[in-house]
Amino acid sequence: RDMAAARPVTRGAELARAGIPVAMVIGGVDEDVPCDENGIPFANDFMRAGGKLFLRIKPECAHHPHSLEDVSELCGFLCGK
């Protein structure tokens, strides 16, 4: 199997076409998983394909913590509100 095709960053359109909503919280200065190489290309492909996306970029955050101070918007997204 082609390993590049198996990388999640390349599968945004596929998930969107399958109707799978995606929630992403990204660290803007993440050096382990750089957002410009991973999250942003995924999100762009996903949205172009009509996917339902919750995206929050924490500009000063690195790879951790994977959280939001206020989760109410995320909860609303997950509950379909």
Side-chain angles (χ1 to χ4, degrees):
R1 181 172 180 188
D2 179 9
M3 293 310 289
R7 294 183 59 223
V9 69
T10 66
R11 303 186 76 184
E14 179 183 347
L15 290 174
R17 286 191 298 271
I20 299 169
V22 171
M24 299 172 65
V25 178
I26 298 174
V29 293
D30 188 338
E31 293 180 7
D32 296 317
V33 185
C35 65
D36 290 340
E37 299 171 22
N38 296 278
I40 301 303
F42 174 91
N44 288 338
D45 289 346
F46 185 80
M47 290 187 304
R48 269 194 298 272
K52 182 178 178 188
L53 178 68
F54 175 90
L55 173 64
R56 294 299 174 270
I57 300 173
K58 297 168 70 173
E60 304 301 319
C61 186
H63 194 68
H64 292 283
H66 301 307
S67 60
L68 295 170
E69 298 231 357
D70 179 1
V71 296
S72 58
E73 276 188 285
L74 175 57
C75 289
F77 173 82
L78 295 173
C79 292
K81 296 180 181 177

